[in-house]
Amino acid sequence: MADITRRPFLNHLRSDPTSFVLKLSGGRPTKSGAGISFWFRPSTAALAEVPLDDREQALQFTARTSDFQVVSVQATVTYRVVDPAVAATRIDFGIDPRTGAWNARPLERLGGLLTELAQQPALDHLASTSLTDALSHGITPVRQRVADELAGDQRLVERGLAVTDVRVVAIRAEADLERALQTPTREAVQQQADRATFERRAMAVEKERAIAENELTNQIELARREEELVAQRGQNERRRATEQAESDRITAAAQAERQGVLARAEADQERTVGEARAEAESAAFASYAQIDQGRILAIAARELAANLPPLTHLTVTPELLAPLLERLGEDRPVAEESGSA
């Protein structure tokens, strides 16, 4: 929209680069161009502003196919004003000299015109197309048909308009009919999904069976190895017991032999000691044979006294000493004689 600055007697207009402004005074154009600015008198000037940028017009209408089914079409038409001077004379683009706002609604009129012009070729094409073809392949033919018709339409040329692009967004049937048409595809997709599920389950069962067989094979192999291990352990135990028995036998034999040697040595020692004792006893007895009986008794008494327990009190009666004294009295001269000799 043009920017108008108001003054007491004159106003100033400044337009955008995408807007074409036309100023008429006395029925004749005095100023025109895009992005211009000028002073004017509001009481005598007539102004028009035509947009030069691309504009989009959304279209939505219903059509009937050759098999009498209703479809809805959603499309977008892009257009622009190529001859603003002609457009200003055919469509009311006049603006208020005080506010710069359009006096009418020119863009709505252009939108209505483009909608009517675009609907007719689309309706004609869909009327000769079945519902299935329209839903499956109808977007490109409808878009091409509408673009061709609008490109050569004389009414747009006379108004200085040109269509730059046509887009068909969707062609859709009624909801119930669309669901019915989707049913076979959905069933096919569901069958494929079921088939894939069954195949996946079969594969899973096959894998589980392979896993079970593998586990069973592993268990059998483990059992076989365990049996071999038990047999080997038993063989090792038997070998260990045999070797231990042989070792014990050798140890026992060595110990018996050692004990025999010790016993023989002890026997030889005992025999030698006995012989020595016997010889000593014989010598003792031989020496005793040369001693009289009284001395032998004295020696025996001494030995007996040495081996008796300690005596704290000893009572000697005359009856015991008398024979001993008599015996000693008899032996004294013999001892003296032997001493003098």
Side-chain angles (χ1 to χ4, degrees), residues 93-173:
F93 284 100
I95 60 175
D96 189 343
R98 294 178 178 81
T99 61
W102 277 313
N103 297 323
R105 296 178 178 178
L107 297 181
E108 292 184 4
R109 290 187 58 188
L110 288 178
L113 176 62
L114 289 173
T115 300
E116 293 176 359
L117 296 177
Q119 281 183 2
Q120 192 61 45
L123 294 176
D124 294 340
H125 177 77
L126 292 174
S128 60
T129 306
S130 64
L131 176 63
T132 305
D133 292 339
L135 296 179
S136 302
H137 313 289
I139 292 180
T140 300
V142 169
R143 180 181 60 80
Q144 190 64 39
R145 182 73 175 273
V146 172
D148 294 341
E149 292 291 335
L150 293 180
D153 193 278
Q154 188 63 28
R155 288 168 292 185
L156 295 179
V157 176
E158 293 176 354
R159 289 167 175 78
L161 303 178
V163 175
T164 59
D165 186 26
V166 176
R167 298 189 302 276
V168 177
V169 180
I171 299 177
R172 305 190 63 176

Side-chain angles (χ1 to χ4, degrees), residues 218-231:
N218 292 336
Q219 291 178 1
I220 294 174
E221 182 66 20
L222 289 176
R224 185 182 64 79
R225 292 186 178 182
E226 186 176 1
E227 183 179 0
E228 292 179 356
L229 179 61
V230 171

Side-chain angles (χ1 to χ4, degrees), residues 251-269 271:
T251 303
Q255 186 175 3
E257 184 177 357
R258 184 169 61 253
Q259 290 179 356
V261 171
L262 292 176
R264 287 192 296 272
E266 289 178 358
D268 293 341
Q269 184 179 3
R271 184 169 54 254

Side-chain angles (χ1 to χ4, degrees), residues 286-303:
S287 64
Y288 289 158
Q290 299 177 2
I291 302 175
D292 58 357
Q293 185 178 4
R295 288 184 177 181
I296 293 172
L297 292 175
I299 293 170
R302 187 182 61 188
E303 294 292 332

Side-chain angles (χ1 to χ4, degrees), residues 4-332:
I4 296 178
T5 304
R6 299 176 62 181
R7 293 292 185 267
F9 300 103
L10 293 176
N11 291 348
H12 183 268
L13 182 143
R14 183 177 58 84
S15 62
D16 297 330
T18 58
S19 298
F20 177 86
V21 176
L22 176 64
K23 174 179 175 292
L24 299 176
S25 180
R28 295 191 308 270
T30 58
K31 296 284 186 180
S32 65
I36 64 174
S37 61
F38 54 88
W39 293 91
F40 65 93
R41 296 179 59 185
S43 59
T44 61
L47 303 177
E49 183 182 11
V50 180
L52 300 178
D53 56 340
D54 291 346
R55 300 277 174 157
E56 292 185 351
Q57 177 65 34
L59 308 177
Q60 185 170 2
F61 55 91
T62 58
R64 188 181 299 271
T65 61
S66 61
D67 48 3
F68 306 102
Q69 301 298 326
V70 177
V71 295
S72 61
V73 180
Q74 296 179 2
T76 302
V77 176
T78 303
Y79 68 95
R80 63 188 298 266
V81 178
V82 295
D83 194 346
V86 175
T89 60
R90 298 297 301 273
I91 302 173
D92 186 7
F93 284 100
I95 60 175
D96 189 343
R98 294 178 178 81
T99 61
W102 277 313
N103 297 323
R105 296 178 178 178
L107 297 181
E108 292 184 4
R109 290 187 58 188
L110 288 178
L113 176 62
L114 289 173
T115 300
E116 293 176 359
L117 296 177
Q119 281 183 2
Q120 192 61 45
L123 294 176
D124 294 340
H125 177 77
L126 292 174
S128 60
T129 306
S130 64
L131 176 63
T132 305
D133 292 339
L135 296 179
S136 302
H137 313 289
I139 292 180
T140 300
V142 169
R143 180 181 60 80
Q144 190 64 39
R145 182 73 175 273
V146 172
D148 294 341
E149 292 291 335
L150 293 180
D153 193 278
Q154 188 63 28
R155 288 168 292 185
L156 295 179
V157 176
E158 293 176 354
R159 289 167 175 78
L161 303 178
V163 175
T164 59
D165 186 26
V166 176
R167 298 189 302 276
V168 177
V169 180
I171 299 177
R172 305 190 63 176
E174 295 180 353
D176 296 339
L177 184 58
E178 190 170 0
R179 283 194 297 268
L181 293 174
Q182 292 172 355
T183 300
T185 304
R186 289 181 178 177
E187 291 296 331
V189 173
Q190 187 63 41
Q191 290 177 3
Q192 293 179 359
D194 294 340
R195 187 180 304 109
T197 302
F198 295 152
E199 291 177 356
R200 184 171 62 253
R201 290 179 180 176
M203 187 178 299
V205 171
E206 183 66 21
K207 289 183 179 180
E208 290 178 358
R209 184 186 64 79
I211 292 173
E213 290 182 355
N214 191 18
E215 290 180 353
L216 182 60
T217 303
N218 292 336
Q219 291 178 1
I220 294 174
E221 182 66 20
L222 289 176
R224 185 182 64 79
R225 292 186 178 182
E226 186 176 1
E227 183 179 0
E228 292 179 356
L229 179 61
V230 171
Q232 186 65 35
R233 285 180 177 175
Q235 185 177 357
N236 294 339
E237 291 295 333
R238 288 193 298 272
R239 183 179 300 173
R240 189 181 296 109
T242 302
E243 293 178 356
Q244 185 66 33
E246 183 67 19
S247 177
D248 293 342
R249 185 185 65 78
I250 294 173
T251 303
Q255 186 175 3
E257 184 177 357
R258 184 169 61 253
Q259 290 179 356
V261 171
L262 292 176
R264 287 192 296 272
E266 289 178 358
D268 293 341
Q269 184 179 3
E270 290 292 334
R271 184 169 54 254
T272 303
V273 172
E275 291 176 354
R277 287 179 180 177
E279 291 178 359
E281 292 292 334
S282 298
F285 286 137
S287 64
Y288 289 158
Q290 299 177 2
I291 302 175
D292 58 357
Q293 185 178 4
R295 288 184 177 181
I296 293 172
L297 292 175
I299 293 170
R302 187 182 61 188
E303 294 292 332
L304 178 63
N307 292 322
L308 289 175
L311 299 177
T312 57
H313 300 283
L314 177 65
T315 303
V316 181
T317 61
E319 291 79 4
L320 296 175
L321 294 176
L324 182 59
L325 292 175
E326 291 177 358
R327 187 63 179 173
L328 292 174
E330 294 177 355
D331 295 336
R332 183 175 295 279

